[in-house]
């Protein structure tokens, strides 16, 4: 599965995904229904329930569906701020 590539900033998983086939199938259907891919999906749940691992796996599975690739939002923000550090001064979290 393509975890890291120029168009894909997903972190490499440390573990395999076990027993989540139904979740992956349901979320895949939700994301690519009607040939109109969703651009952002939020997973919620209790701490330690596997949200991050599921998101990484789902991103890798769907990498080819999105022409611009898939990305880990944190990685893209960091990459953007490295090339545009002046934008940090406008970040409301850092005020």
């Amino acid at each position: 599965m393509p975890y890291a590539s120029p168009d894909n900033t997903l972190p490499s998983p440390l573990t395999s995904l076990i027993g989540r086939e139904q979740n992956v199938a349901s979320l895949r259907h939700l994301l690519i229904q009607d040939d109109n891919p969703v651009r952002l999906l939020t997973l919620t749940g209790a701490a330690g329930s596997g949200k991050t691992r599921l998101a990484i796996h789902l991103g890798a599975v769907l990498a080819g569906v999105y022409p611009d690739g898939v990305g880990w939002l944190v990685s893209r923000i960091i990459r953007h701020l490295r090339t545009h550090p002046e934008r940090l001064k406008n970040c409301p979290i850092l005020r």
Side-chain angles (χ1 to χ4, degrees):
M1 242 177 259
Y3 288 103
S5 71
D7 294 329
N8 179 351
T9 60
L10 297 174
S12 295
L14 300 176
T15 61
S16 57
L17 190 68
I18 299 171
R20 301 297 291 268
E21 295 83 8
Q22 183 61 42
N23 296 122
V24 171
S26 296
L27 291 171
R28 185 179 192 285
H29 175 73
L30 175 69
L31 286 168
I32 60 173
Q33 62 183 335
D34 301 325
D35 296 326
N36 188 14
V38 171
R39 296 182 53 83
L40 178 67
L41 175 70
T42 302
L43 300 176
T44 61
S49 63
K51 299 176 299 291
T52 300
R53 184 65 188 87
L54 179 60
I56 292 170
H57 182 81
L58 192 60
V61 166
L62 296 176
V65 172
Y66 296 88
D68 294 328
V70 296
W72 200 244
L73 188 57
V74 173
S75 298
R76 296 223 173 170
I77 290 170
I78 290 169
R79 187 181 333 155
H80 179 75
L81 290 177
R82 282 185 183 147
T83 57
H84 301 286
E86 71 281 0
R87 295 191 178 171
L88 269 173
K89 67 180 178 183
N90 297 323
C91 180
I93 296 171
L94 300 176
R95 288 186 188 162

